[in-house]
Amino acid sequence: MSALNRSNGLRAFTILFFLGLVAVLIAACGAQTTTSVPSETPRVGAASFSNDVLPILRDRCVSCHGGDKTSRGLDLTSYDKLMTGSIGGRVIIAGDADNSKLYQSILQGKMPKRGGKLSDARVEIFKEWIKAGALNN
């Protein structure tokens, strides 16, 4: 094999190697990463009590409906207490957001009374959670 043929073969190998390396780097740069970023966007159909509903209740509701103060007998500090309801009866009807008093109060802007209405995304979380069966998940 002549020196010229070896040189051309090495040059071809080097070019192919670098093209392959560039292709791998481009693919790696375009790969999507998964990060957990809190969002106001509901995860439609995937709302869970512990991850989605309870944080909203703690943030916006338990100052009036929890602990020492439970307005109208409604304690929203846990799933079991929420599902027990208030002095007026059940506030959540699993699978039926239209007849769930708590959801309707939130939807109509009656609750929470302090701090302004919940965002549409947060209201949607309640709706989806109830429609999915209001599970303790």
Side-chain angles (χ1 to χ4, degrees):
M1 181 182 254
S2 74
L4 183 59
N5 284 341
R6 252 185 288 163
S7 176
N8 285 341
L10 184 58
R11 185 176 295 136
F13 173 78
T14 304
I15 290 170
L16 288 175
F17 174 79
F18 282 110
L19 286 175
L21 182 62
V22 168
V24 169
L25 290 173
I26 289 171
C29 289
Q32 293 183 357
T33 58
T34 55
T35 57
S36 179
V37 177
S39 170
E40 282 285 315
T41 305
R43 297 174 300 168
V44 177
S48 83
F49 180 77
S50 60
N51 293 329
D52 302 306
V53 175
L54 187 58
I56 297 169
L57 295 174
R58 286 180 176 157
D59 182 46
R60 298 297 308 278
C61 306
V62 297
S63 62
C64 295
H65 296 285
D68 294 334
K69 185 175 185 180
T70 54
S71 181
R72 300 204 29 88
L74 180 60
D75 188 335
L76 301 176
T77 58
S78 72
Y79 177 83
D80 291 332
K81 291 176 181 178
L82 165 63
M83 297 309 281
T84 297
S86 70
I87 60 174
R90 293 189 305 170
V91 296
I92 299 291
I93 309 297
D96 187 0
D98 292 336
N99 289 305
S100 294
K101 293 177 186 177
L102 179 63
Y103 172 72
Q104 289 302 315
S105 294
I106 292 168
L107 180 64
Q108 296 166 9
K110 295 178 182 177
M111 292 291 162
K113 288 187 177 181
R114 298 184 187 133
K117 293 175 60 172
L118 295 182
S119 68
D120 291 344
R122 284 183 161 193
V123 173
E124 188 67 17
I125 287 170
F126 276 93
K127 179 180 178 182
E128 292 301 321
W129 173 70
I130 293 168
K131 285 175 57 178
L135 303 173
N136 186 8
N137 55 358

